[in-house]
Amino acid sequence: MRIKKTFILGLVASLGFANLGLAPSALAAGEAVKLKDIEFSFEGPFGTFDRAAAQRGFQVYREICSSCHSAQYFAFRNLEGIGYSEEMAKAIAAEYQITDGPDDFGDMFERPGKLSDRMPAPFPNQNAARAANGGAYPPDLSVIVKARPGGADYLYSLLTGYEEPPADIELAPGQYYNAYMAGHKIAMPQPLYDDMVGYADGTEATVEQMAKDVTVFLAWLAEPSMEQRKSIGFSFMIFMSIFVVLLYLTNRRIWRPIKKGAMPWVGKDEKA
Amino acid sequence: MSTGSFKPKNGALRWFDDRLPILSLVHGSLGAGYPAPRNLNYFWNFGSLAGLCLVIQIATGIVLAMHYTPTVAGAFNSVEHIMRDVNYGWLLRYIHANGASMFFIVVFIHIFRGLYYGSYKAPREVLWMLGVVILLLMMATAFMGYVLPWGQMSFWGATVITNLFSAIPLVGDQIVTFLWGGFSVDEPTLQRFFSLHYLLPFVIVGVVILHIWALHLPGSNNPLGIDVKGPQDQVPFHPYYTAKDALGVGVFLIFFGLFVFYMPNSLGHPDNYIPADPMVTPAHIVPEWYFLPFYAILRAVPDKLGGVLLMFAAVGLLFFLPWLDTSKIRSAIFRPAYKMFFWLLVVDCVVLGVVGAYPPEGAWILIGQLATAYYFAHFLLILPILGKVEKTKPLPQSIAQAVLGDKAGAKPAAQPAE
C-alpha cells in the first residue's frame, strides 16, 4: 500500500502548498507588516463574543466611529445579540431620529427609532461623506472585520498603530502615519485617545482597551451568527464522527467475506 | 450477475416497473445489478462524491436564489441579507461558497486518479472526454457564481476574465461587448451571469448522466488497469460499493464541515466583502484558488492572445490525452517511469497554483514559464514517447488472482458460465 501512502502524502502536501499559495494573495494589499496578535474570546472552535466587551465596543462605536462611519446592515434589533434586553435595545433605538414617510400628505417626517430600524448613517451619501472628510470615504463598518486581511487583529493594530512618521516619509495634508495601513498613509486621523468615553462598568478607557472593545463589537457585527455557526458545527462534528464509525464498521462487515473470496451473490437470482 | 432479470417483489411496484422500468434502471446502474471490479480503492470514491457535491450545490443554490437580487444596487445587500436575516441563510451561503471549493477538490482528485490508473484509455475515451466537458462547465459555472456577490473580486475578476476575449483578432472587442451586454461589466453582465449560473448546473447534470452512461458500458476501470475476465473479478455495486461510498461521504462531510463551520472564509478573498467599485482597482486581482494554475499559465506568456490560447489549450489538451498516451498499459502500478512523471505533473500543477497566487514579478515569472512548459511537455512529449520506450512490469492474470491469490477460483463450481 505504498502507493496509497505516497498518494495521500502528495495530497496533503498539495493542500499545504495551496494554503501557502493563498496566504500571499490574502496579504497582498498590506505588505509584510506583522499584526499585533490579540487574544480575542471569539477565536477558536468554541469562541464566543465577550458580551461586556461588545457592549463597551458599541459605546465606542456610537460615540466615536459613527460620527464618520456608517454600519448599514446594523439594525437595533441586533443589539439583543450582544446581551442587551429588548427594553434596553428599544430605549437605545429611541435615542435616534429616523426619517420615515411619506405620510398621507406626501411629506417625510422624523420619528424616534424602533427595533426594526437600522442605525442611521452619518452622511446622506458617499459624496457628502467625501466632502466632509477631505475627499476620503470612511468605509461602511458592517463587515469590515471580514473585509480586511488579518481581520480583528488588523483592526486592532490599525486603531493602535498611529505613530510619528519616520523622517523619510512625507505626508500630504490630511494624511496621517499608521504603521499598519497599506503604504502607511491613512486619511483617518487617530480616532482614539485615552478617556474619550466614560465606561459605565468602570473599565479604564485606555486607547488599547477601547480599540479592543470596538474590535469585538465590529467582529460581532461582521458575523452575528458566528456563535450559532460554531455550536451547530460542534453538534455536526459529534454526530458525523459517530456516524462515520458506524459506516466504517458496516462497510468492514459487508466486505469481510468478500475479502476471503466468497461470492454470496452467485446463484441468488436462480433461487429467487 | 443478472442485470436484465430484475423483478420488484412488491406487486404494485412490479406493475409499475413493467410499464416504466425505472426501478430496473436504478437496479442496473447503482444497485445489485451493476457489477464493479472487486479491487476498487478509496480513490474510486471521488466519482460519487463529485455527484454529491453537484447535488449540494444545486440544492443550496436554489434556496439562495430565492433570496438573492441580481442587480448592481441589490446584489451585495441581498447577500448580507441572506447572512443576517434569512433563517440559516449564513449556513446555506457558507455551504454553497465552500461547496464550490469542495467540488473542485473532489474533481481534481477524481481527474488525477484517472491519470494515475489510465482510466482515459480505450475503451473509455468518450467517458474521459465527457469528464473534460464537465470540468469546463464547472469552471464557467464557478466563475459566474463568484461574480454574483458583487464584491470587489467579483467585479474585477469578471472584468479581467471577460477581457481575455478581447485578445481574439478582429472581432475580440465586439465579443467582449456582447458578453458584457454593454461597454463595461455592469448590470446586464450581472443579470446574464446569474441566469447562466442557474442554467449551467443543470447542463452539468445532463453531461453527468452521459458520463455515467459511458461508464456503464465498459464498467469501471480498476487500480490494476486490467480488464475484468469474469464474475470472480467483480462484486455487485450494491451493497459493496454503496457501503464503501457511504463511508467516503461521511469522511468527506467532516472535511467539508470543518470549512463551513470553523473557517468559512478561509478559501475566499477578504476583498470580496468590499462592495464592487468600478473606480477602485484592488492591488492584486486573484481568482479563486482552483483557477490559480490556469491563471499562472495565462500569465506565463507576455503576449495576451498567446496567454489566452495557452490557457484554453491547457484544458483542451485533455481531450486528446487518450491518443497522446501511447502506452497500452493503463495503471501506473505497472509503469514505473510513468509513475514518476505522474508525480512530477502533480508537483508541477501545485507549483503553477502557487505561481498563480503571486503577482508576476521577479523569479515568479521564470518559475511560471518553466512550470507551464513542463505541463505541456508532459502531455505532448513525455507521454507519446514514454509509451514506446518504457519498460513495464508484467500484468497479473486477473483481478481475482491478484487480489485473492490462491483463494481465487477456490470455488469454481459456484460460478455459472458467463
Side-chain angles (χ1 to χ4, degrees):
Chain A
M1 294 291 91
R2 244 192 70 231
I3 302 148
K4 252 188 213 168
K5 238 184 226 164
T6 26
F7 219 131
I8 288 163
L9 272 176
L11 243 173
V12 171
S14 321
L15 279 173
F17 271 115
N19 264 332
L20 281 179
L22 287 169
S25 59
L27 288 172
E31 267 77 283
V33 183
K34 197 158 160 30
L35 300 174
K36 295 176 189 173
D37 187 9
I38 298 294
E39 277 193 25
F40 290 104
S41 65
F42 52 80
E43 290 169 350
F46 301 103
T48 53
F49 293 112
D50 177 346
R51 299 294 192 276
Q55 293 188 7
R56 288 196 301 270
F58 174 57
Q59 188 183 351
V60 175
Y61 170 76
R62 277 176 89 184
E63 295 180 15
I64 302 168
C65 316
S66 72
S67 51
C68 297
H69 291 274
S70 60
Q72 58 167 324
Y73 302 118
F74 173 43
F76 293 113
R77 64 187 152 83
N78 298 142
L79 281 173
E80 289 175 57
I82 48 171
Y84 287 102
S85 68
E86 194 178 325
E87 279 64 41
M88 290 159 92
K90 271 183 186 163
I92 291 168
E95 291 171 26
Y96 290 85
Q97 286 298 306
I98 306 288
T99 308
D100 202 348
D103 62 14
D104 291 347
F105 304 100
D107 300 319
M108 303 302 280
F109 59 92
E110 298 265 312
R111 58 158 177 79
K114 297 185 291 196
L115 285 182
S116 55
D117 287 316
R118 297 201 170 171
M119 186 97 170
F123 301 104
N125 53 56
Q126 223 193 87
N127 289 6
R130 282 189 193 279
N133 288 283
Y137 174 58
D140 187 89
L141 295 183
S142 307
V143 284
I144 201 79
V145 170
K146 286 203 278 190
R148 293 291 181 275
D153 282 339
Y154 168 79
L155 192 62
Y156 176 86
S157 304
L158 188 85
L159 289 172
T160 57
Y162 285 87
E163 294 168 9
E164 281 302 309
D168 58 333
I169 293 226
E170 266 195 48
L171 294 169
Q175 280 189 333
Y176 305 88
Y177 184 82
N178 191 301
Y180 299 93
M181 183 72 183
H184 301 310
K185 291 172 187 175
I186 187 168
M188 173 171 73
Q190 180 172 345
L192 300 176
Y193 291 94
D194 287 344
D195 299 319
M196 272 175 97
V197 299
Y199 281 139
D201 63 2
T203 307
E204 199 185 336
T206 59
V207 169
E208 286 74 18
Q209 184 65 43
M210 287 186 290
K212 195 175 171 187
D213 290 343
V214 80
T215 301
V216 173
F217 171 71
L218 290 173
W220 165 78
L221 185 58
E223 198 184 356
S225 56
M226 186 211 74
E227 291 179 359
Q228 192 193 14
R229 162 163 70 79
K230 287 178 181 172
S231 85
I232 292 179
F234 184 66
S235 314
F236 176 83
M237 289 299 162
I238 298 282
F239 175 84
M240 283 311 296
S241 307
I242 297 169
F243 193 46
V244 160
V245 170
L246 294 177
L247 287 170
Y248 170 76
L249 294 173
T250 307
N251 185 54
R252 200 175 61 164
R253 183 163 177 173
I254 287 177
W255 275 86
R256 190 175 294 141
I258 311 308
K259 302 264 186 201
K260 290 180 185 145
M263 298 173 75
W265 58 88
V266 171
K268 215 170 152 191
D269 294 321
E270 285 76 2
K271 261 177 255 165
Chain B
M1 255 156 280
S2 48
T3 38
S5 65
F6 176 70
K7 283 278 171 216
K9 287 198 177 70
N10 179 294
L13 286 179
R14 198 159 51 235
W15 177 90
F16 184 80
D17 200 61
D18 285 342
R19 282 147 186 84
L20 181 70
I22 199 158
L23 296 167
S24 298
L25 181 74
V26 172
H27 175 82
S29 46
L30 297 166
Y34 175 56
R38 67 185 309 145
N39 61 334
L40 302 185
N41 62 30
Y42 278 101
F43 286 103
W44 264 262
N45 280 60
F46 288 88
S48 68
L49 288 181
L52 174 72
C53 285
L54 180 59
V55 170
I56 290 175
Q57 290 305 91
I58 290 178
T60 53
I62 286 174
V63 183
L64 287 172
M66 296 175 189
H67 302 281
Y68 170 77
T69 315
T71 62
V72 167
F76 193 92
N77 287 336
S78 67
V79 171
E80 279 305 315
H81 163 69
I82 288 168
M83 292 298 287
R84 287 156 195 275
D85 303 330
V86 174
N87 290 332
Y88 298 101
W90 57 269
L91 181 58
L92 286 169
R93 177 168 172 261
Y94 280 155
I95 291 175
H96 197 74
N98 286 287
S101 286
M102 295 301 127
F103 202 171
F104 275 98
I105 290 173
V106 165
V107 161
F108 285 155
I109 295 174
H110 188 60
I111 292 170
F112 277 104
R113 188 269 288 155
L115 291 175
Y116 189 84
Y117 295 111
S119 300
Y120 47 85
K121 293 183 191 182
R124 298 184 181 85
E125 300 96 322
V126 172
L127 168 62
W128 168 263
M129 290 160 82
L130 287 167
V132 180
V133 171
I134 294 172
L135 175 65
L136 284 169
L137 287 168
M138 275 177 65
M139 290 168 76
T141 310
F143 161 66
M144 287 189 280
Y146 193 58
V147 176
L148 302 185
W150 210 242
Q152 274 289 70
M153 277 301 155
S154 299
F155 180 87
W156 291 99
T159 302
V160 168
I161 300 301
T162 48
N163 255 317
L164 295 180
F165 291 89
S166 70
I168 300 167
L170 300 173
V171 291
D173 288 333
Q174 279 93 324
I175 288 178
V176 173
T177 308
F178 176 73
L179 289 175
W180 285 342
F183 299 101
S184 65
V185 173
D186 207 335
E187 186 115 343
T189 326
L190 177 59
Q191 300 206 340
R192 65 190 52 193
F193 277 20
F194 177 55
S195 174
L196 293 172
H197 183 72
Y198 207 118
L199 167 71
L200 286 185
F202 296 96
V203 178
I204 294 178
V205 169
V207 185
V208 164
I209 290 171
L210 296 180
H211 190 68
I212 295 173
W213 189 6
L215 167 71
H216 283 197
L217 292 181
S220 295
N221 184 31
N222 65 80
L224 296 170
I226 57 175
D227 288 328
V228 166
K229 302 265 174 21
Q232 71 278 9
D233 288 345
Q234 296 172 307
V235 294
F237 191 84
H238 179 75
Y240 301 101
Y241 286 115
T242 41
K244 196 169 179 175
D245 278 349
L247 174 57
V249 166
V251 174
F252 169 69
L253 288 181
I254 289 180
F255 178 73
F256 197 159
L258 282 177
F259 281 91
V260 169
F261 294 111
Y262 296 108
M263 35 185 178
N265 294 305
S266 61
L267 296 170
H269 197 292
D271 276 15
N272 229 26
Y273 279 108
I274 304 172
D277 185 348
M279 311 305 284
V280 180
T281 318
H284 300 293
I285 301 169
V286 279
E288 290 274 85
W289 70 267
Y290 37 81
F291 291 137
L292 290 175
F294 304 103
Y295 198 50
I297 291 173
L298 170 75
R299 299 187 305 183
V301 194
D303 174 57
K304 190 172 175 185
L305 179 60
V308 172
L309 288 176
L310 216 55
M311 184 177 70
F312 283 107
V315 186
L317 193 63
L318 297 175
F319 281 110
F320 303 97
L321 176 61
W323 297 276
L324 288 169
D325 185 346
T326 50
S327 173
K328 292 279 175 276
I329 310 292
R330 293 198 190 102
S331 174
I333 293 176
F334 306 106
R335 301 181 62 192
Y338 173 73
K339 191 191 281 182
M340 189 192 76
F341 284 114
F342 168 85
W343 285 111
L344 277 176
L345 180 72
V346 173
V347 171
D348 187 58
C349 289
V350 173
V351 169
L352 281 171
V354 174
V355 171
Y358 283 87
E361 298 159 356
W364 292 117
I365 298 176
L366 185 66
I367 297 172
Q369 287 170 341
L370 289 175
T372 302
Y374 184 79
Y375 178 88
F376 284 95
H378 175 88
F379 291 103
L380 296 174
L381 287 175
I382 295 170
L383 287 189
I385 297 170
L386 198 62
K388 309 265 192 220
V389 301
E390 186 179 25
K391 213 170 146 51
T392 57
K393 292 184 187 171
L395 295 176
Q397 279 178 338
S398 76
I399 295 172
Q401 192 238 3
V403 174
L404 300 170
D406 293 340
K407 280 174 277 178
K411 289 178 255 171
Q415 290 153 21
E418 278 169 60

